[in-house]
Amino acid sequence: MKLSSKIQEISPSATLSITAKAKQLKSQGIKVIAFAAGEPDFDTPEFIKQKAKEALDKGLTKYTPTAGIPELKQAICEKLKKENNLEYTPEEVLVSCGAKHSIFNAIMALVDDGDEVLLPKPYWVSYPEMIKFARGKIIEIPTNERTNFKIKADQLKEYITPKTKLLILNYPSNPTGMMYTKQELQEIANVLVENQIYCISDEIYEKLVYDGLEFVSIASLNSEIKKLTITVNGLSKCCSMTGWRVGYACGPKEIIQAMGNLQDHSTSNITTFVQYASVDAIKYAEESIKKMVEEFKKRRDYIVEEINKIPELSVIKPQGAFYVWVNISKLKGKKYNNQIITDSMKLSELLLTEARVSVIPGCVFGDDDYIRLSYAISLQDIKEGLDNIKKFIETIR
Ligand code: PMP
Ligand code: GLU
């Protein structure tokens, strides 16, 4: 068999496969604490489910326009205006099968063979694969703990060449949980505008922000950066709707239309009755989100404090999302029985088999000195899982 060269370059999603593995062990009756989960553990709010049921009962089960029903696009435009200070018309909005699909469409619409795409590191696992699929060239911009894993405008300048087409920004970040301030975004935007570089701003964790920090959409800073930005968001994380597959992109009309053309010939519209339920999710989920954020904050504070008590581990308190990015460099080279902890993958494997906890190795996000733990699990599970991790680490020499 000869698969296409394009597809041969794509690896499976480690976040999805590790999460699936943990769920499989659980179904076999083996207790695994799943710190790998990339989705909220809360149920989708009842009123959203109810709307989907009503839409089904009304027979809203046929094709819709690819880009989404007018009511949903209108609700998205109103949300963007009210919450993000962004004015878009419905023609500048495309609803897709999750934010992942929106990002894929945007990369396909913008990136040509050999175009350079700037990718702050650590990055979410799917970005590099999508860039490769578009035949773009990945240009990683390294970050570190000193800068809270954020790129700086001056640093960005150093990576720009005549072939630079696009920057992918994601804040709050998966995996680090870090946020950019308005000032930092302004400086980054200035560099992008000066060099006419596009930006995909992945704002999927927008609502999961703690300590009263202000979330600012980069496209809202001025009309120049707005012309270059595709803002991506969705309902997966904020409304606990990961399986419903609702994402959207907004940006300049020509780009959104091009993305829509691709979607016309690949997936068409997202599930029709889900679109009707999404209108209400966008309009009325504020209370449910508030409760979820309060709970996540408690868990974040607990997990950060407890991890920092373990001498071999350290973590900077994240400002958003539901992940902690744990520095494991002190464990590398040490031994568990006769097995050397060579890298984050080896440590993750040992944590699964010996400590019965699943985590995501940092290597899949581009930095092997870390592992990612999600706190989208109950406080009780977090406590039990951290106990298991502590006990395991005590046996390491
Ligand atoms: N971007 C980031 C940074 C993510 O963590 C995720 C989670 N899967 C997505 C996009 C995609 O989310 P979804 O496709 O479920 O909307
Ligand atoms: N974004 C989540 C994660 O990083 C879900 C899995 C995925 O879509 O890759 O774990």
Side-chain angles (χ1 to χ4, degrees):
M1 186 195 303
K2 175 103 177 67
L3 294 171
S4 72
S5 53
K6 267 212 294 287
I7 212 69
Q8 285 184 54
E9 282 174 30
I10 310 292
S11 33
S13 162
T15 44
L16 288 180
S17 59
I18 295 170
T19 304
K21 197 168 171 187
K23 282 184 184 168
Q24 192 197 352
L25 287 171
K26 210 170 162 186
S27 72
Q28 292 166 2
I30 301 169
K31 179 146 196 207
V32 171
I33 308 278
F35 285 113
E39 56 186 349
D41 52 319
F42 306 95
D43 197 3
T44 302
E46 198 49 43
F47 75 93
I48 302 174
K49 290 199 226 171
Q50 199 51 43
K51 273 284 159 184
K53 288 179 202 165
E54 282 169 24
L56 263 178
D57 287 342
K58 281 188 200 154
L60 296 167
T61 56
K62 298 292 195 287
Y63 292 138
T64 74
T66 292
I69 54 171
E71 299 90 312
L72 179 54
K73 293 206 289 175
Q74 191 56 42
I76 292 169
C77 291
E78 281 162 20
K79 178 254 180 244
L80 291 167
K81 185 154 191 252
K82 188 167 132 221
E83 298 179 0
N84 305 86
N85 192 25
L86 280 171
E87 290 220 28
Y88 286 104
T89 62
E91 289 171 301
E92 295 167 313
V93 175
L94 172 66
V95 180
S96 303
C97 172
K100 189 181 273 183
H101 189 203
S102 305
I103 299 162
F104 184 83
N105 283 337
I107 290 177
M108 293 306 138
L110 286 172
V111 177
D112 255 326
D113 280 30
D115 279 349
E116 295 181 359
V117 181
L118 303 174
L119 192 57
K121 189 171 87 172
Y123 41 71
W124 178 48
V125 290
S126 292
Y127 302 140
E129 305 309 303
M130 293 182 191
I131 300 166
K132 278 194 257 169
F133 194 74
R135 298 282 195 212
K137 188 169 171 202
I138 301 164
I139 306 292
E140 294 177 355
I141 309 185
T143 67
N144 56 45
E145 292 182 11
R146 281 194 310 281
T147 60
N148 279 339
F149 302 107
K150 291 191 273 190
I151 57 164
K152 296 249 179 246
D154 281 345
Q155 185 193 15
L156 177 59
K157 281 184 202 158
E158 290 170 23
Y159 289 84
I160 294 174
T161 75
K163 291 202 145 188
T164 308
K165 183 73 183 268
L166 173 69
L167 166 73
I168 302 186
L169 265 191
N170 168 226
Y171 59 96
S173 146
N174 176 3
T176 70
M178 290 306 167
M179 283 264 290
Y180 285 90
T181 63
K182 190 171 183 179
Q183 178 63 30
E184 288 164 342
L185 289 170
Q186 185 66 63
E187 288 166 14
I188 290 171
N190 290 347
V191 176
L192 297 178
V193 170
E194 196 180 318
N195 294 279
Q196 288 298 290
I197 292 167
Y198 288 97
C199 177
I200 293 178
S201 182
D202 179 352
E203 306 185 357
I204 190 79
Y205 295 100
E206 170 203 11
K207 299 278 185 188
L208 306 182
V209 170
Y210 312 112
D211 309 323
L213 289 176
E214 184 198 14
F215 179 90
V216 177
S217 288
I218 188 166
S220 71
L221 294 175
N222 58 59
S223 61
E224 292 305 306
I225 187 65
K226 185 167 175 250
K227 281 186 208 148
L228 294 168
T229 304
I230 297 102
T231 302
V232 173
N233 210 328
L235 301 182
S236 284
K237 316 287 170 168
C238 65
C239 295
S240 237
M241 287 174 68
T242 46
W244 295 63
R245 313 308 301 133
V246 188
Y248 56 88
C250 51
K253 199 166 131 194
E254 304 72 48
I255 301 176
I256 294 295
Q257 264 173 4
M259 290 164 60
N261 293 346
L262 175 60
Q263 193 167 309
D264 266 349
H265 298 293
S266 46
T267 60
S268 308
N269 62 275
I270 72 160
T271 308
T272 300
F273 54 87
V274 164
Q275 295 189 57
Y276 286 92
S278 299
V279 174
D280 278 40
I282 287 182
K283 286 187 176 167
Y284 308 120
E286 210 168 307
E287 266 312 299
S288 333
I289 295 172
K290 207 172 138 210
K291 281 197 202 125
M292 186 166 73
V293 170
E294 275 167 20
E295 185 57 34
F296 275 143
K297 185 188 174 303
K298 273 190 228 151
R299 298 175 187 177
R300 177 203 63 165
D301 292 346
Y302 177 79
I303 200 169
V304 167
E305 201 181 322
E306 291 302 310
I307 287 176
N308 281 329
K309 284 184 193 160
I310 304 174
E312 291 84 355
L313 305 179
S314 66
V315 64
I316 301 182
K317 196 183 243 188
Q319 300 165 315
F322 42 68
Y323 307 109
V324 278
W325 185 233
V326 181
N327 189 322
I328 52 126
S329 55
K330 286 189 188 148
L331 288 173
K332 281 166 86 175
K334 295 202 169 164
K335 275 189 181 167
Y336 170 75
N337 290 337
N338 276 333
Q339 303 184 61
I340 301 176
I341 299 170
T342 42
D343 48 33
S344 65
M345 187 62 89
K346 181 70 192 172
L347 178 64
S348 304
E349 282 166 12
L350 286 172
L351 283 171
L352 186 60
T353 55
E354 308 305 313
R356 294 282 179 223
V357 297
S358 64
V359 304
I360 310 280
C363 56
V364 304
F365 303 95
D367 197 334
D368 196 56
D369 280 346
Y370 295 82
I371 55 174
R372 188 194 80 178
L373 270 66
S374 153
Y375 48 90
I377 52 173
S378 71
L379 206 49
Q380 197 187 336
D381 276 354
I382 294 175
K383 283 183 186 160
E384 192 179 333
L386 287 182
D387 270 351
N388 294 357
I389 294 177
K390 265 184 233 162
K391 283 187 199 134
F392 167 74
I393 289 181
E394 276 162 16
T395 65
I396 288 175
R397 297 282 169 260

